[in-house]
Amino acid sequence: MNLPSLLLTQGDPAGIGPELALRAWLLRKEHALPPFAVLSDPAFLERVAQSQGWDVPIIAVETAQIPKVFPKALPVLPLSVSVAAQPGRPDAGAAASVVESIERAVQLVRQGAASALVTNPIAKHVLYEAGFRHPGHTEYLAALASEGTNETFHPVMMLWSEQLAVVPVTVHIPLANVPSALTTDLIVLTGRIVARELRERFGIANPRLALAGLNPHAGENGAMGAEDGGVIAPAIDILRQEGIEAAGPLPADTMFHARARSRYDAALAMYHDQALIPIKTIAFDEAVNVTLGLPFVRTSPDHGPAFDIAGQGIARPDSLIAAIKLAARLGSP
C-alpha cells in the first residue's frame, strides 16, 4: 500500500509555520524531501503563498492521494474550520484550527495513514486563552496517544542534530524548582526511554549516555550541592545495572566540546537551558525537536512561531526541512 510519508500540522497560523511549510515544498527537489501534506485551510495557505509571491499550487486531498499530488502541488488535508489569521498577530480565535490540525494528524498517524508527524510551532499562551488545558504541545500529544488505550506515555524531549543530541530531564519549569523536581526515578525513566529509542529508532546498537551534573563541577564531591551524589549518581548506577552505558555525573561545562561529544550518543542534562544552550550554539538552524516515548514518530523544528518576523518571507526553513528528513528516517520500517 502506497502511504503518504509524513503529515505536517499547521502550527499557529499567525506565526512562521505556514510559510515554512510552503518553502519546504518549494525546496522539495533540492533537499530530496519525501511526500508530505499539511493539515490546514487550503484557502489560507493560498493567501500566504500569494502574499509572498510564491508559485505554490495547492490541492485539497485525501491521504491516499498525497504521493501522487506532491510532485506537482502541495497536498493539503482541509480542516473543518476556515483560517483568517494575520501574520504576527496571534489570536485565540485561531485556536480551534490549531487544535484540530494536531488532533487529526495524530489520529491519521495512529491509523497508519502516514509514517510520522511533523508539528509546526504553536504558542501555548494563545491556546490557554481559548481554554487549552494541557501544559504544552508535547504533553497534549501524549494525552492524544493515550486516548482509547490503557497506556500512559511519558514523553521525552530530545534536541537532535548531526553534531549533538541532548535531552533535558526537567523541561519547562522555573530554575528554582529544578532541584525538587529532579529525582532518581525520573532520571532512570528518562535514561531508559532515551536508550531504548536510540536503539529502536536510530539504529544505535549500544547507546552511550552522558549525564550532566546539576551543580558546578558536578557538585565537587558535595561541596557545591548534594544532588549530584545523592540523586544523579544513584540513577546512573541503576542504568548501568540494567546494561545501559551511562557516564557521569559530569561537569556540564566540559561536556560539549568536540572531543567530549565523540564519547557519547546523547547527553542528558538536568534542566532546560543546560541542554538547549549548547545545541543552539552548535546547530542553531539544523537542530530538530524529537519526542521520544510516544507510539509514533514526532519531530518539530527547534524554534517557536516567531511572530516578530511572520509574513516577511525571511524565516529560514532549515530546521523544518531537517525535521522532515529526520521524521522520514525514523518513520521508515
Side-chain angles (χ1 to χ4, degrees):
M1 185 175 181
N2 190 16
L3 296 177
S5 295
L6 304 168
L7 296 179
L8 272 61
T9 63
Q10 169 187 268
D12 192 303
I16 61 175
E19 61 190 89
L20 293 184
L22 293 166
R23 290 199 66 192
W25 183 83
L26 285 170
L27 295 169
R28 66 198 183 285
K29 294 180 181 178
E30 178 179 336
H31 291 278
L33 297 182
F36 63 80
V38 184
L39 288 94
S40 187
D41 175 2
F44 167 70
L45 289 180
E46 286 177 351
R47 292 194 298 272
V48 174
Q50 290 169 1
S51 71
Q52 300 300 324
W54 296 336
D55 182 14
V56 182
I58 292 170
I59 298 180
V61 299
E62 296 180 353
T63 53
Q65 300 171 294
I66 296 172
K68 183 177 180 180
V69 168
F70 184 78
K72 60 183 179 181
L74 175 63
V76 177
L77 299 176
L79 303 177
S80 65
V81 295
S82 60
V83 180
Q86 297 297 316
R89 298 182 181 180
D91 182 355
S97 68
V98 175
V99 170
E100 182 185 347
S101 180
I102 297 169
E103 289 182 345
R104 284 193 57 205
V106 170
Q107 182 183 42
L108 289 167
V109 171
R110 290 181 67 191
Q111 291 172 350
S115 62
L117 170 64
V118 180
T119 59
N120 269 304
I122 63 174
K124 293 185 288 292
H125 71 276
V126 176
L127 297 183
Y128 293 155
E129 292 176 17
F132 190 72
R133 292 290 176 263
H134 297 274
H137 206 162
T138 300
E139 292 84 357
Y140 184 40
L141 292 169
L144 292 173
S146 298
E147 286 185 355
T149 75
N150 294 321
E151 297 184 79
T152 299
F153 299 98
H154 179 80
V156 171
M157 182 174 79
M158 180 167 76
L159 283 300
W160 177 92
S161 71
E162 293 287 356
Q163 300 95 333
L164 173 66
V166 293
V167 173
V169 176
T170 65
V171 191
H172 296 122
I173 61 174
L175 186 59
N177 296 349
V178 169
S180 60
L182 194 64
T183 66
T184 297
D185 287 345
L186 177 61
I187 297 168
V188 170
L189 176 59
T190 304
R192 287 171 179 160
I193 292 171
V194 173
R196 183 190 71 217
E197 301 244 348
L198 287 177
R199 285 193 303 269
E200 296 179 359
R201 294 203 188 278
F202 286 81
I204 300 173
N206 297 298
R208 302 165 300 164
L209 307 183
L211 284 80
L214 174 65
N215 298 294
H217 303 176
E220 194 78 57
N221 291 323
M224 295 188 187
E227 295 88 357
D228 304 277
V231 177
I232 303 170
I236 293 172
D237 289 340
I238 294 171
L239 293 170
R240 288 171 176 167
Q241 290 167 14
E242 295 179 359
I244 297 171
E245 186 174 336
L250 303 171
D253 61 350
T254 57
M255 280 182 59
F256 299 107
H257 60 82
R259 290 196 308 277
R261 297 198 307 271
S262 69
R263 295 193 286 268
Y264 58 81
D265 300 300
L268 273 63
M270 297 302 114
Y271 56 93
H272 183 274
D273 285 9
Q274 191 183 55
L276 270 67
I277 287 173
I279 194 164
K280 289 195 175 185
T281 300
I282 293 168
F284 185 80
D285 291 313
E286 301 84 21
V288 176
N289 183 348
V290 188
T291 304
L292 310 180
L294 296 179
F296 50 82
V297 172
R298 179 265 182 140
T299 67
S300 179
D302 181 27
H303 56 69
F307 296 120
D308 57 323
I309 60 171
Q312 299 177 37
I314 60 174
R316 294 183 56 151
D318 306 58
S319 187
L320 178 62
I321 288 171
I324 291 169
K325 289 182 174 182
L326 183 61
R329 169 184 162 188
L330 301 183
S332 62

